[in-house]
Amino acid sequence: MFRTALRNLLAHKTRLMMTALAVLLGTAFVSGTLIFSDSVGSAYRDRMAKSLDDVAVQVTAGGPRADRADGQAALDTRVVDTVRALPGVASVRPSVTGTPVIADRHNNATGNVWGNSGTNYVPGKDGKDSRYPLTEGRGPAAEGEIALDAKTAGTIGTKVGGTVRLAVDGPVVTKKLVGIVKSDDPRVSAGGSLALFDTATAQKLFGKPGEFSEIVVTATPGTDQQKLTAKVREALPKSFEVESGKKLAENQAKGIDQETGSIRKTFLVFAGISLFVGIFIIANTFTMLIAQRSREIALLRAVGASRRQVVRSVLIEAGLLGLVASAAGFVLGLGIAAGLHPLLNSTGASLPDGPMVITPTAVLYALGVGVAVTVLAAWLPSRKAARIAPVEALAAVDQAPTTRSLVVRNCVGAVLTAAGVAVMLYVTTLRTSGGLTTAMAGSALTLAGVIVLAPLLSRPFVNLFGRLTVRFCGVSGKLAKENALRNPRRTAATASALMIGLTLITGLTVAAVSANEGMNKMGQQDLKADYKVSSSSYLGLSPEIAKTLAGQPGVEAAVPLRSLGFEADGRPALAYATDVRTVAEVTDVRVVGGSLADVRGAGTVAVAEKFAKDHGLKAGSTLPMAFYDGKKASPRVAAVYRDNDVLSDVLTTPALVDPHQDKVRDDQVLVKAAPGQAKGLPGKIKESLGGNPLIKVESQDDLRRSQAGSLDDILYLMYGLLGMAVVIAVVGVVNTLAMSVFERTREIGMLRAIGLARREVKRMVRLESVAIAMFGAVMGVGVGIFLAWSGGHLLRSSFPQYEMVVPWARIAVFLLLALAVGVLAALWPARRAARLNMLESIGAQ
């Protein structure tokens, strides 16, 4: 039976080529994902390990200490001297770290702000810092000097001797560039920047004079790292955190694995979708092959082959096909892995460079998944082949599906669809976003039910489509309709592969467009300010900025918003502090109880309507507030306002918020332009703040575009990932038509003999292809819209502005693309059908 399987595989290699292509694409996606994530993880680990090569122990400030006014433990020179005196310590490197933002040529922030780092340059006996090798110039040694990494220096276009403008959390400062260094810091290679200062300057910028952020200890040769860590921990107060270099490396490796693991899982989900679509193609192909070889199978049974041997022969054939296709897919996966790196970096991912890592796991997964999927898809067709009686198979080439089997299938499909729709209708009644698992289960049931029902649903669609084709295309249209209806299972399986991809694409599109519309509505209905001024870092804005802006020509109002988290009744909440008298100038505040004029000082607040309802509050009530610094307050509720997307749960004055903040900072300043002064105001704002790279000035349109842009970027990425499933579905249409043409060789010869022209034969095949593609597209669009409508209800609890919008223009594009798929997929099968020799076709078996 093995020789029989091998002979069949070689005998039908052309017909199996498209099936192999489907397996190849799916396994390429799997292997490419695994290799890419392994390579990125290895690159990150190599960079981290290199930066920790000489780190034996690291000491950082820990818990509070009683001898300091701010309650924080300090790493000072006394601690450094204590550690340096311990046996086994070769050197101690005290460092100060922070996040400076370097200005580019247009006074905008350079690099990814989250990856920007600043620290002190620690020269050794030779006057150089071994951790940051110089490539040009020297290290900084005075307050007005700075050194940069080569990439950042090139970005801002400054050479040694030039000036560098930067900001930390306040005004812009200017430094002289005295050196350029190399850095193996993964944050820098991932798109950040590195700025080096002398120790005193770094302490002034990022901390306090005489204090450090961390201490890195290097051990003498032969010293046990764990024992040295224990000695350092014993010598220092318990308030300090002491970790060995090995432990730091392990923690970083775990973090890297988590980050790359999320990328891996995301891509593997879409790889799974592609393979699931491939199952329909493989099953369809083997069903048609077995139908065409039914006489051969009957002869095998007649000469003594058992049912088990017939099944085994088909599965061996599928396994061999899957193995060959998976091996080719693995090679293609290498190209995908290599291409993903620059592709994601072009979107701002800033992944580190490194060698491609091919692990045995990736190879085994790729080959194993490909073979398993192929064998699984061929299992049902093989069982059907084994159940056919020899005499029955010898009597006919093609057996139509029995009425009973279709009835059972339709009943199962109806039950699954009804269950899925019922679950999704239940989802529409939920008022929280916690029903995601339920929605996913309902979506899976609905999609599975429609797939099972597809043969039944195809008949009315093809009949309706056939009326149009008969009217406009005559005999070719009628033949195309009859061919599509001849085997509804085959039509349904081919269309279902396309339906799955379009269901997901349509659902994602409707959800993304609806969310965008909700964001636009949110900004338009609550934000009255013309511009939002915020910080490009997480440090916030100095309160002086709002005062500066308020006095600028062309500014009617500049209202700062300052946030503070707290707990109310054990639940987290957020308070915004501002000048309550002027907040109505920049946002639409609608009071439904009490008066905002009564919000004065630290003893009164205003609360949002939903927050008031959740906590049983009204004007005149007392709000118990537990702050995260351990203190409490019980201000009186002076007003209740309608839920506002600009404001938070609680609105109050700085007098209540400021005492509970380590450093008073504003989150944002909302600016209202004077009448006729809005144009050109952003440039004036930046200029008035000294061209500070920390400052971002965004208009309402900018905010909408940034929100829409992030969603669009995600949506286009999803399109790209789902595109593989659609490509596999197209391959399925081509394969089905090609094998159908082979199956109907004698029939086509007869049609040609009685006068059907080559052009009409081509048109017949094309129309059949379009019918299949459009059936899959219509089902996919319909199911996708339904799932987006029902699942979208989960967002309304946390996103009240969300309201489903169907982007009919995009839906029309999807349908037109499906039409194009049908036409293009039929090119080769139609040409092959038209070129068949009439006499040879009539004599074909």
Side-chain angles (χ1 to χ4, degrees), residues 118 186 286 334 348 564 734 737 745 776 782:
F286 275 94
L334 297 176
L564 180 69
V734 176
L737 290 173
T745 298

Side-chain angles (χ1 to χ4, degrees), residues 135 176 185 203 212 247 263 310 381 386 477 503 552 617 696 776:
T135 60
K176 180 181 178 181
D185 189 330
Q203 289 173 336
F212 303 99
K247 185 66 175 178
I263 298 175
V310 171
T503 295
Q552 291 300 310
L617 301 173
K696 287 195 303 183

Side-chain angles (χ1 to χ4, degrees), residues 806-831:
V806 180
W808 294 113
R810 294 198 192 189
I811 298 299
V813 170
F814 295 159
L815 293 175
L816 287 174
L817 288 175
L819 179 63
V821 163
V823 173
L824 293 174
L827 288 178
W828 177 57
R831 186 168 178 269

Side-chain angles (χ1 to χ4, degrees), residues 304-392:
S306 66
R307 290 186 176 184
R308 183 175 297 177
Q309 287 177 308
V310 171
V311 171
R312 191 182 303 155
S313 172
V314 175
L315 294 184
I316 291 172
E317 184 178 345
L320 292 172
L321 174 68
L323 184 62
V324 172
S326 299
F330 180 80
V331 175
L332 179 61
L334 297 176
I336 292 176
L340 279 175
H341 193 283
L343 176 64
L344 292 179
N345 276 348
S346 67
T347 65
S350 299
L351 300 171
D353 294 326
M356 186 176 292
V357 176
I358 303 174
T359 63
T361 303
V363 178
L364 292 175
Y365 266 114
L367 298 180
V369 167
V371 172
V373 166
T374 311
V375 171
L376 176 66
W379 181 67
L380 281 178
S382 69
R383 285 178 58 83
K384 283 185 181 179
R387 285 200 298 265
I388 299 175
V391 175
E392 183 183 0

Side-chain angles (χ1 to χ4, degrees), residues 437-460:
T437 303
T438 304
M440 291 176 66
S443 300
L445 279 173
T446 304
L447 191 57
V450 173
I451 290 171
V452 176
L453 276 179
L456 178 65
L457 298 175
S458 67
R459 299 194 70 86

Side-chain angles (χ1 to χ4, degrees), residues 59 65 73 79 82 232-242:
V59 182
R65 206 173 73 181
V79 177
T82 300
V232 174
R233 188 177 288 121
E234 184 179 348
L236 297 180
K238 292 183 179 179
S239 57
F240 292 110
E241 294 181 359
V242 181

Side-chain angles (χ1 to χ4, degrees), residues 11 54 204 413 485 791 836 838:
D54 58 348
K204 182 179 178 181
L485 289 173
L836 288 174
M838 189 188 309

Side-chain angles (χ1 to χ4, degrees), residues 12-363:
H12 305 102
K13 51 182 177 293
T14 302
R15 278 177 272 173
L16 288 169
M17 182 177 63
M18 290 296 178
T19 303
L21 184 58
V23 179
L24 182 150
L25 292 174
T27 52
F29 209 160
V30 172
S31 60
T33 297
L34 294 174
I35 294 169
F36 170 73
S37 59
D38 288 339
S39 300
V40 170
S42 175
Y44 270 121
R45 279 190 291 272
D46 287 346
R47 293 292 177 90
M48 290 291 186
K50 193 173 182 181
S51 66
L52 294 173
D53 271 347
D54 58 348
V55 177
V57 184
Q58 178 178 281
V59 182
T60 55
R65 206 173 73 181
D67 62 346
R68 285 174 49 88
D70 60 5
Q72 296 297 315
L75 287 175
D76 51 27
T77 53
R78 292 175 299 176
V79 177
V80 174
D81 292 339
T82 300
V83 175
R84 186 178 284 125
L86 294 174
V89 173
S91 65
V92 177
R93 178 193 177 89
S95 61
V96 187
T97 57
T99 310
V101 178
I102 312 294
D104 64 12
R105 301 168 190 175
H106 306 289
N107 293 326
N108 295 319
T110 299
N112 296 323
V113 176
W114 57 265
N116 292 349
S117 61
T119 187
N120 55 320
Y121 188 82
V122 184
K125 294 179 181 180
D126 59 353
K128 297 179 180 180
D129 189 337
S130 59
R131 188 170 184 180
Y132 302 109
L134 286 162
T135 60
E136 190 176 347
R138 61 175 176 82
E143 183 175 357
E145 297 177 345
I146 187 175
L148 296 175
D149 67 281
K151 183 179 178 182
T152 302
T155 300
I156 66 176
T158 302
K159 297 181 179 180
V160 171
T163 57
V164 178
R165 302 176 71 254
L166 68 136
V168 178
D169 63 350
V172 175
V173 295
T174 302
K175 306 282 185 184
K176 180 181 178 181
L177 182 63
V178 297
I180 296 176
V181 302
K182 288 195 330 184
S183 173
D184 54 15
D185 189 330
R187 292 174 298 177
V188 176
S189 61
S193 64
L194 173 67
L196 300 173
F197 310 88
D198 67 284
T199 299
T201 302
Q203 289 173 336
K204 182 179 178 181
L205 289 173
F206 308 132
K208 294 183 179 181
E211 296 183 2
F212 303 99
S213 303
E214 65 179 24
I215 297 174
V216 173
V217 180
T218 303
T220 56
T223 301
D224 184 270
Q225 193 178 100
Q226 298 301 324
K227 291 181 179 179
L228 181 59
T229 303
K231 288 179 183 178
V232 174
R233 188 177 288 121
E234 184 179 348
L236 297 180
K238 292 183 179 179
S239 57
F240 292 110
E241 294 181 359
V242 181
E243 290 286 358
S244 66
K246 183 179 179 181
K247 185 66 175 178
L248 288 172
E250 290 175 355
N251 291 339
Q252 288 179 348
K254 288 179 182 178
I256 291 168
D257 288 340
Q258 289 177 352
E259 291 294 327
T260 56
S262 62
I263 298 175
R264 180 194 297 240
K265 288 176 183 177
T266 300
F267 280 92
L268 284 179
V269 166
F270 289 95
I273 293 170
S274 299
L275 287 169
F276 182 66
V277 169
I279 287 176
F280 290 89
I281 298 167
I282 299 165
N284 221 14
T285 300
F286 275 94
T287 298
M288 296 174 76
L289 279 176
I290 288 169
Q292 293 167 17
R293 293 190 342 231
S294 58
R295 290 195 176 192
E296 176 187 324
I297 294 171
L299 286 172
L300 288 173
R301 292 291 312 283
V303 297
S306 66
R307 290 186 176 184
R308 183 175 297 177
Q309 287 177 308
V310 171
V311 171
R312 191 182 303 155
S313 172
V314 175
L315 294 184
I316 291 172
E317 184 178 345
L320 292 172
L321 174 68
L323 184 62
V324 172
S326 299
F330 180 80
V331 175
L332 179 61
L334 297 176
I336 292 176
L340 279 175
H341 193 283
L343 176 64
L344 292 179
N345 276 348
S346 67
T347 65
S350 299
L351 300 171
D353 294 326
M356 186 176 292
V357 176
I358 303 174
T359 63
T361 303
V363 178

